[in-house]
Amino acid sequence: MRGSLEAVAGQTPRGRFRMELRRLRRSRLYRRRTLTAYAFMLPSLIILGVFIVWPMAQALRISFTDFNVFQSNWVGLENYRKLLNDEAFHNALGNTILYAGITTPVSVGLALVFALLLNRKVRGREFFRAAIFLPVITSLAVAAIAWTFLIDPDIGIVPYWLEQIGIQTGGLGEPTWAMIWVIVVGVWKNVGFYTVMYLAGLQGIPREIYEAAEVDGATTWTRFRTMTWPLLTNTTMFVFVIALIAALQAFDQIFVMTRGGPFFQTETLVMMIYRLGFSEFQMGYAAAVSWVLVLLVFALSLLQIRYFNRRLVRY
Amino acid sequence: MATIPEAATPPRPRPDLALRLLRLTTYLVLGFVAFVVLLPFIWTLLTSFKLETDIVQYPPELFPRSLTLEHYSDIWHRIPYARLLLNTLIFAGGVTIVSLIFDSLTAYALARLEFPGRDVLFLAILVTMMLPFQVTLIPLFSLLTQLDWINTHQGLIVPRATNAFGIFFLRQFFISIPRDLEDAARVDGASEFRIYRQIVMPLALPALLTLGLFHFMYNWNDLLWPLIVTTDTSMQTLPAGLALFMGEHVVEYGLLMAGSILALLPMIVMFLLVQRKFVEGIATTGIK
């Protein structure tokens, strides 16, 4: 008995041999498992490496060059220095912030209202939910074509209807109205998505809380203010950050409806990157602009993860 | 109507006026919202059947005066519509199928196998998920130009053939699957690939379907990526092709609306068929 214990512990020559053998087996198994794992991941790793990581590194390198069709010279921080004094960039950044600053609270606010209405016992609930959600699953670019005609000051039916009730609107040729319409379409596209997220949040609130409040005779407004809204804080933060990230990357409806015009009044950062990179071929400078976008989105994404984790814990 | 005796209805207390008003307002608001949200779809559909002269009349009308199908027959030869449709199908379908395979293989390794560098890799994948893809556009365009992949299907599909979100999504699902079954298979000497293919993948079917829907929808609808990879009309997808057609021929409303309806229809039909999956999938993941 004692002898075999010693053998296992590797204190006798036979035991040492067995242990060596086991270590060898384990390491061979270990190596094989590692190989298997990387074999599983090989296609994804190649694609992520070649088409995401490498281009990302390139984007950083290019942003320090004057890369265009003809040349590519190292210019150091020149592009970034240019950003500081470039009115076109200030304009695009300002438009992006204006667009996101209005689209986000409006979308989230409307989504909350819709979710509260849909969370009650209403007939046709499924229909209303599907209707509000429909824009989320359809192509924004294609829908923006319809919107362009719908709001056309000459033939559009929306300006005509609004005129009947005394509201004068302007077309996409007028700077302020162009921004308003682009925001309207942006809200239209995503509000259903945020509504569904709010509905999920509302479903996570236990009913008993309300029952107790009903006994106490709390009004609808009091109930919302003291219970629903505080319990939805995490959902609100999560939805808000997601909406902000999406709004900062606005492109599709702007490309279709205004191409950033009139007079660059609806040119957002992504629109500017597209113009610089793909129609003016100032790739170096465009890359520098794109890093500003990365900075904004990445910071918000970190926030998003924080609330995403809490969300998982909560529900 | 006025002669209902008071005594006949005592068991059911009449809802007070405020409550009934609230309910009425709810329906009015929801009805109005649904109308506004659906207006672009309704208008596109109705306009696609209108005569061109009726579309540009003033004052504008929602309903057509007379119906015509000419836009639906013209669209096929006024623009290479069949080609655009085929390109969109190849692009969205190709990305979906390939990406589901690659994503699930990687997710399996991350969820089930132990190997050095696993946590670092997972973190790296999470980080790529958080970076806006627009930053890669310019280097990607140069790369695809060097590969001579501009205006090709592989140029559209291969860079999207794996997806950080897809890997993350499937890894979370794989982790939630109980291990008992595959441990038994492992004892019996089954290879990891066999366990992946014959045990884990069939169990993950609902997650794969949800993710497949996301991939298909996202790529079918996408504008920016096809706009950059394709410069030739014969290789464009529907959103890009229609958007560019509109830029050039802004006056052919009927034609554009017929084209839009055909481009929107597959997504709408798919949505109506698997609505629950769409809505729930999105509600639980919180990612588009």
Side-chain angles (χ1 to χ4, degrees), chain A residues 179-227:
Chain A
M179 184 52 105
I180 292 174
W181 288 126
V182 159
I183 288 172
V184 166
V185 177
V187 171
W188 172 83
K189 163 76 179 169
N190 285 330
V191 72
F193 179 63
Y194 310 136
T195 304
V196 166
M197 311 228 21
Y198 260 129
L199 275 171
L202 284 170
Q203 247 112 69
I205 301 176
R207 282 205 182 280
E208 301 86 65
I209 297 178
Y210 292 111
E211 279 159 20
E214 226 152 280
V215 174
D216 293 346
T219 64
T220 315
W221 171 244
T222 318
R223 249 183 294 162
F224 172 74
R225 201 172 44 87
T226 58
M227 291 183 283

Side-chain angles (χ1 to χ4, degrees), chain B residues 50-206:
Chain B
K50 282 181 196 165
L51 291 169
E52 203 68 46
T53 48
D54 289 345
I55 298 173
V56 294
Q57 66 168 340
Y58 193 87
E61 282 170 17
L62 187 57
F63 292 98
R65 291 181 172 176
S66 51
L67 296 171
T68 174
L69 284 172
E70 64 174 350
H71 304 308
Y72 284 94
S73 58
D74 285 354
I75 186 103
W76 304 96
H77 42 260
R78 285 283 288 102
I79 25 177
Y81 198 84
R83 185 72 208 190
L84 294 181
L85 193 64
L86 185 73
N87 289 337
T88 320
L89 204 64
I90 293 174
F91 168 51
V95 169
T96 305
I97 294 166
V98 183
S99 185
L100 279 183
I101 296 169
F102 290 177
D103 293 355
S104 62
L105 280 168
T106 306
Y108 179 83
L110 289 171
R112 283 297 199 255
L113 303 174
E114 266 171 51
F115 57 91
R118 187 177 68 172
D119 297 340
V120 176
L121 261 176
F122 184 59
L123 195 71
I125 285 166
L126 280 181
V127 169
T128 59
M129 219 169 89
M130 302 192 307
L131 295 167
F133 83 101
Q134 291 93 340
V135 68
T136 61
L137 283 179
I138 289 157
L140 262 181
F141 181 77
S142 311
L143 179 64
L144 293 184
T145 310
Q146 279 163 23
L147 291 170
D148 214 5
W149 276 11
I150 297 295
N151 284 318
T152 62
H153 287 133
Q154 68 266 32
L156 278 167
I157 295 170
V158 175
R160 291 232 161 142
T162 199
N163 180 291
F165 168 67
I167 295 170
F168 171 73
F169 179 82
L170 288 176
R171 175 195 175 265
Q172 302 306 90
F173 192 85
F174 287 167
I175 281 179
S176 73
I177 299 175
R179 298 186 102 142
D180 317 1
L181 213 56
E182 45 182 290
D183 281 342
R186 237 171 238 133
V187 170
D188 288 348
S191 72
E192 288 297 336
F193 186 72
R194 235 183 112 188
I195 294 170
Y196 156 82
R197 212 182 49 139
Q198 294 188 343
I199 297 175
V200 173
M201 285 300 264
L203 286 173
L205 207 61

Side-chain angles (χ1 to χ4, degrees), chain A residues 225-243:
Chain A
R225 201 172 44 87
T226 58
M227 291 183 283
T228 315
W229 178 246
L231 285 170
L232 281 178
T233 308
N234 201 42
T235 308
T236 301
M237 291 309 292
F238 186 64
V239 172
F240 201 89
V241 176
I242 289 192

Side-chain angles (χ1 to χ4, degrees), chain A residues 12-72:
Chain A
T12 65
R14 234 176 92 208
R16 213 168 290 141
F17 173 73
R18 274 196 200 159
M19 247 183 94
E20 281 298 305
L21 195 68
R22 196 183 299 158
R23 193 178 298 147
L24 190 73
R25 268 212 206 112
R26 189 187 289 159
S27 75
R28 201 183 278 164
L29 193 74
Y30 184 70
R31 232 185 307 161
R32 229 187 62 199
R33 222 187 257 167
T34 305
L35 268 178
T36 313
Y38 279 93
F40 267 83
M41 298 188 298
L42 195 64
S44 284
L45 290 184
I46 290 175
I47 288 163
L48 285 175
V50 175
F51 297 105
I52 293 196
V53 178
W54 194 77
M56 202 77 90
Q58 283 296 307
L60 193 61
R61 191 187 63 80
I62 290 172
S63 77
F64 295 115
T65 69
D66 61 356
F67 184 35
N68 59 33
V69 191
F70 312 105
Q71 60 192 6
S72 177

